[in-house]
Amino acid sequence: QDRDGQQDAQWPPPSMDFSKPTIARAYDALLGGKDNYAADRELAEFALQNVPGLQESAGENRKVLVRGVRHLAAEAGIDQFLDLGSGLPTVQNTHEVAQAHNPDARVVYVDVDPLVTVHGQAILAENGNTRSFTADVRDPAAVLSHPDAHGFLDFDRPVALMLVGMLHYLSPEVADSVVSAYRDALAPGSCLFLTSLVDTGLPAQQELARITRENLEEGWARTPDEIEHHFGDFDLIEPGVSYTALWRPDELVDADDLTPGEQLGMAGIAFKKQ
Ligand code: SAM
């Protein structure tokens, strides 16, 4: 159904093939969610067998999303969030975290997987300060001009643009132009929140990228410098680009004693100059 409760003309859309895994559903399987099918669970299982700590890494990515959004809503005064590659709703979604601190915070979810929008709209039907639509992040013009983005968020004021657990699905050919188009569209005081599969020389990192590329088309592990490059001339806040577990942790984490799963992803938040 769409937001007005109308039944879609064709559901599921022909583009949806439940015999093949999708990123959103396989990630949901890794997180222990229910919105996945046999093909997604098989891929998740295969990846778990080949990449030590993968499940923990998915959990760490969700945790840093929560800490990052909490910081932005509670301490940085951000009240608009554009969550790109938002994934299937799970616990502590961006709008829940942001609106716990500011009930007026507006959140827009965008994902290429139509199932995300269906589940998102069902959950968000009661929440007037959220929107969810289907689009490909690699088309910034389409995303930014969509009525649920452009007409709902005020791009003359600060917006938090999130590519959380998403940067590694942008190939080296398109990542620069895509991310810089989003940076350019933001008003001063806005920020970019990135998390990505990282390459610090551990074999599991490139192995995960390879498994993801082979089964889900895209999957790229980037060095910390390559991740930092995507912030352009924005100002990184402490601790800069760091392993997700070390990004403003709620409890002290020993940087010299990270588990394999804690070394798969990095996170960072940077603000556009005023
Ligand atoms: N942001 C959530 C998080 O960090 O927990 C979900 C991350 S999940 C690993 C990545 C999401 O990005 C999936 O839901 C997938 O469908 C979406 N995605 C991948 N490529 C995309 C694209 N080109 N455009 C829009 N969404 C995309």
Side-chain angles (χ1 to χ4, degrees):
Q1 290 194 342
D2 66 17
R3 245 192 5 262
D4 302 321
Q6 302 297 308
Q7 196 70 42
D8 283 342
Q10 189 171 22
W11 181 262
S15 60
M16 251 164 109
D17 178 354
F18 293 101
S19 70
K20 293 198 185 115
T22 72
I23 297 169
R25 299 189 320 233
Y27 181 64
D28 180 71
L30 279 179
L31 290 171
K34 298 188 301 308
D35 300 321
N36 50 72
Y37 296 79
D40 310 304
R41 291 189 287 275
E42 272 165 33
L43 174 57
E45 196 50 48
F46 176 75
L48 283 170
Q49 280 166 11
N50 287 280
V51 181
L54 177 58
Q55 191 151 33
E56 183 187 14
S57 157
E60 288 297 336
N61 186 64
R62 282 307 300 182
K63 285 194 219 161
V64 82
L65 180 151
V66 170
R67 295 198 301 276
V69 171
R70 194 177 65 202
H71 169 77
L72 294 173
E75 291 165 47
I78 296 282
D79 63 359
Q80 307 191 92
F81 295 81
L82 183 53
D83 188 347
L84 303 180
S86 52
L88 284 154
T90 173
V91 283
Q92 290 206 283
N93 300 295
T94 300
H95 75 285
E96 291 161 320
V97 179
Q99 291 170 4
H101 297 281
N102 178 357
D104 295 327
R106 290 189 163 197
V107 177
V108 175
Y109 293 112
V110 181
D111 204 284
V112 77
D113 191 328
L115 193 65
V116 170
T117 309
V118 169
H119 284 256
Q121 288 183 346
I123 283 179
L124 306 175
E126 300 299 312
N127 191 304
N129 280 332
T130 59
R131 293 287 186 271
S132 178
F133 66 89
T134 304
D136 193 321
V137 164
R138 291 169 295 189
D139 188 351
V143 169
L144 293 166
S145 66
H146 192 284
D148 279 334
H150 187 72
F152 186 65
L153 301 177
D154 178 357
F155 283 91
D156 292 331
R157 292 202 307 110
V159 171
L161 192 132
M162 301 166 59
L163 288 162
V164 173
M166 173 61 219
L167 184 65
H168 46 256
Y169 298 113
L170 299 177
S171 71
E173 288 76 38
V174 306
D176 254 359
S177 65
V178 168
V179 182
S180 67
Y182 288 117
R183 285 199 313 267
D184 290 348
L186 298 175
S190 298
C191 68
L192 188 57
F193 181 5
L194 301 178
T195 76
S196 175
L197 174 59
V198 71
D199 181 357
T200 54
L202 301 177
Q205 299 161 337
Q206 285 296 348
E207 176 66 0
L208 178 56
R210 191 184 61 76
I211 291 173
T212 311
R213 268 199 309 276
E214 282 176 5
N215 293 280
L216 299 164
E217 292 175 19
E218 301 286 4
W220 308 90
R222 292 188 159 87
T223 66
D225 280 350
E226 286 168 342
I227 295 171
E228 188 162 338
H229 164 81
H230 287 293
F231 287 105
D233 66 351
F234 285 24
D235 295 322
L236 275 163
I237 60 170
E238 289 296 321
V241 172
S242 71
Y243 284 118
T244 50
L246 298 175
W247 196 93
R248 300 184 181 226
D250 288 331
E251 287 161 17
L252 210 60
V253 178
D254 184 351
D256 296 324
D257 196 22
L258 293 179
T259 62
E262 287 172 336
Q263 296 178 69
L264 287 175
M266 285 203 172
I269 292 183
F271 282 81
K272 190 163 185 166
K273 294 178 200 323
Q274 293 279 358

